[in-house]
Amino acid sequence: MGFSIATWNINSVRLRMPIVEQFLMQSQPDILCLQETKVVNELFPYAPLRALGYEHIIIHGQKGYHGVAIASRIPLTEDHRQDYCNVGDSRHISAIFERGGRRIRVHNFYVPAGGDEPDRTINPKFGHKLDFIEEMKHLHANAEQNTSAILVGDLNIAPFEHDVWSHKQLLKIVSHTPVETDGLIEVMKRGAWLDLMRQNVPESEKLYTWWSYRAKDWEAADRGRRLDHIWSSSDLGPLLQRIDILKAARGWDRPSDHVPVTAHFNL
């Protein structure tokens, strides 16, 4: 049985709903996980998603900031919201779905960006990011009996050398500093998570999901970073067929600086 799940930092879901609809009509994932929705729950745009068949929607919104949502063509149950760092931000949501005789929990994360200065003594945002990652180390892929797991989202860290356009030039830039990359790799190791985007793509190959708005010609410069991730419990690894990174979406009308990433499985 085929199954697909997509993740996308949409950078304001109401502003960019036309390209969300464009993506859903074009790619038709079974589940779409959005980050940085920037809208309170009461104003979330349910109608256009339901019109496209995504009738099962759970959200964790916040006015003007953060926000995560899961829109699905498959029923969702047991939705849960974790308040990482106990600051009241809407940065995590999860739910259970069933497909191909499997029970699977999907986690949708929006990890703090961390500001510009990689020093927690002068930049509280960076400290918050490091604390968030520290708490994520307790999340295990096999936490629930007889339940597989998928973790997706904008994790705001490019962990490996070729997840950025220049490893050497970005070592002191937030999202690729050693304390962040080591931390995220430790999250994967402690939690027994598989990095599905690297399962069939060697670490020596460049892999990006984000291109800055600041670039005059983002496509020509191609100074990207892999900030968006799809992980899973080990049992789902052999069932992965492919990962699609829709780079073309960065050039759509009024785009996000992130592009959709979709994992396809044979369950």
Side-chain angles (χ1 to χ4, degrees), residues 116-206:
D116 294 325
E117 186 61 47
D119 183 346
R120 69 181 305 151
T121 62
I122 60 175
N123 176 17
K125 291 182 179 180
F126 192 68
H128 176 39
K129 182 177 191 176
L130 298 184
D131 292 343
F132 196 104
I133 292 298
E134 191 64 30
E135 288 193 21
M136 284 184 71
K137 292 177 183 178
H138 300 289
L139 182 63
H140 204 284
N142 301 311
E144 298 173 87
Q145 191 173 11
N146 300 318
T147 305
S148 304
I150 297 174
L151 186 156
V152 306
D154 176 7
L155 305 186
N156 262 313
I157 298 173
F160 302 122
E161 178 176 350
H162 295 287
D163 289 340
V164 294
W165 65 272
S166 173
H167 173 64
K168 187 175 294 185
Q169 294 183 68
L170 270 68
L171 277 172
K172 295 183 179 180
I173 302 299
V174 173
S175 79
H176 194 61
T177 65
V179 67
E180 295 171 87
T181 59
D182 290 349
L184 193 66
I185 291 169
E186 186 68 16
V187 172
M188 281 190 269
K189 288 181 177 178
R190 283 201 201 179
W193 294 101
L194 291 181
D195 181 356
L196 294 180
M197 293 176 69
R198 282 295 183 188
Q199 180 165 289
N200 298 320
V201 179
E203 287 185 25
S204 59
E205 185 174 324
K206 294 288 189 184

Side-chain angles (χ1 to χ4, degrees), residues 57-60 70 76-82 92-96 105-106:
I57 302 171
I58 62 171
I59 55 178
H60 188 194
I70 302 175
L76 300 172
T77 62
E78 299 186 36
D79 57 304
H80 173 71
R81 297 149 182 79
Q82 183 74 26
H92 169 265
I93 196 166
S94 75
I96 295 285
R105 180 171 291 278
V106 56

Side-chain angles (χ1 to χ4, degrees), residues 28-70:
Q28 299 183 5
D30 293 297
I31 296 177
L32 172 64
C33 295
L34 297 172
Q35 304 87 40
E36 209 171 354
T37 54
K38 295 184 177 179
V39 61
V40 294
N41 293 352
E42 295 77 11
L43 298 178
F44 187 86
Y46 289 96
L49 293 171
R50 287 174 171 156
L52 290 172
Y54 294 83
E55 299 179 358
H56 311 281
I57 302 171
I58 62 171
I59 55 178
H60 188 194
Q62 189 170 340
K63 183 179 180 181
Y65 296 95
H66 322 316
V68 285
I70 302 175

